[in-house]
Amino acid sequence: MAASEFAAWVRDFATERDRRAAGADPDWESGAVLSPAVRASIQRFQLGEDGDGANLIAKADAAGDPHYTAAVRLFEDEEHNHARLLARLLEAGGATTSAGHWSDTVFARMRRAVGLHAELLLLMVAEVVALRYYRALRDGTEDPLTSEVARRILADEERHIPFHCARLHASIAQLPRAARRPVLAGWRMLLLGAGLVVAADHGRALRELGVGRGRFLADVAGSAGPVVAAIVGTDPPRVPAELAEPAAAARPPHPHPHPRSGYRLRPRA
């Protein structure tokens, strides 16, 4: 992939950073009402958003494209902001962040143990699961502050999917043709496994948010096809429709919408 395309991603992330800096934070003083199940669920997702990203940045730097490294740094800044937003939400609800959880520990160790391409595949698992989770949190809660925080995070996650697809498209293209199908089949299995873990671990919260375990898992598994199509290049990178489009009317329009779908497929050159 040409460096100029990642330069466009740098501008895209920088634009979002500047927009975020110019805007106001959610109204933390309004407080939040979090049930025990939803509170525990948010605590676990906050842990996942709170990684330092140093290993990914180092791997991106070793890949030799300074534009991609800069974009990854800005991506990690957004992830850190998600952790901050969730921590403030917990504080507004009278709760604290969690010291740790086994699923986050396992995921972090897996990411550290592999190279850039494999780590991106793992990240895509987390991002796709997160899309469905934050949509459930945004649309299923009756607490305005929780819904606002989830909306902000979801808007970022919807941009992260095509960003990672863009890099993975170039990575998969470098593999022998016979190896591509097994790699992507393995990714589908990882996605299904992660969906099962989240559905089991967050089942009570998901039910309170109006999404049963089965529906959550079906939506996550159903998103694999569009993501794989984007990675191999048969479809342009986009947010899987199964995860984003049903609630589009409830979300303010993105500043750079695609003319047909309403979702941006890639940054402006």
Side-chain angles (χ1 to χ4, degrees), residues 77-224:
D77 287 345
E78 289 191 357
E79 295 290 285
H80 296 161
N81 185 57
H82 297 171
R84 181 188 70 87
L85 289 171
L86 292 175
R88 292 295 305 273
L89 174 62
L90 289 166
E91 181 183 0
T96 61
T97 57
S98 175
H101 190 261
W102 69 266
S103 59
D104 183 64
T105 300
V106 170
F107 186 71
R109 288 178 178 175
M110 290 175 64
R111 286 182 57 180
R112 286 196 296 268
V114 298
L116 174 62
H117 302 162
E119 179 166 359
L120 290 178
L121 287 169
L122 288 172
L123 263 179
M124 281 291 287
V125 167
E127 299 280 59
V128 170
V129 171
L131 274 177
R132 185 62 184 96
Y133 175 79
Y134 287 121
R135 179 159 69 88
L137 190 62
R138 182 195 66 188
D139 297 343
T141 184
E142 295 182 358
D143 179 68
L145 184 60
T146 301
S147 182
E148 170 64 12
V149 169
R151 182 191 67 78
R152 293 184 183 217
I153 295 175
L154 183 62
D156 287 341
E157 298 291 5
E158 288 177 348
R159 293 169 35 254
H160 295 172
I161 292 290
F163 170 60
H164 293 312
C165 280
R167 180 70 193 193
L168 284 168
H169 173 72
S171 300
I172 293 296
Q174 294 173 1
L175 294 175
R177 188 173 296 274
R180 298 173 193 173
R181 187 182 297 272
V183 167
L184 293 172
W187 181 82
R188 286 176 181 263
M189 293 302 295
L190 281 173
L191 178 64
L192 181 60
L196 280 167
V197 169
V198 173
D201 203 28
H202 299 255
R204 287 181 58 195
L206 290 172
R207 283 196 301 272
E208 288 185 15
L209 297 171
V211 181
R213 286 187 174 97
R215 171 65 184 277
F216 179 85
L217 185 59
D219 286 349
V220 168
S223 70

Side-chain angles (χ1 to χ4, degrees), residues 13 20 48-58 60 68-83 111 119-120 123 127 160 163-164:
F13 278 111
R20 187 167 60 246
E49 300 279 10
D50 202 26
D52 62 16
N55 283 288
L56 178 60
I57 292 171
Y68 180 63
T69 302
V72 167
R73 288 183 181 276
L74 291 166
F75 157 75
E76 287 291 349
D77 287 345
E78 289 191 357
E79 295 290 285
H80 296 161
N81 185 57
H82 297 171
R111 286 182 57 180
E119 179 166 359
L120 290 178
L123 263 179
E127 299 280 59
H160 295 172
F163 170 60
H164 293 312

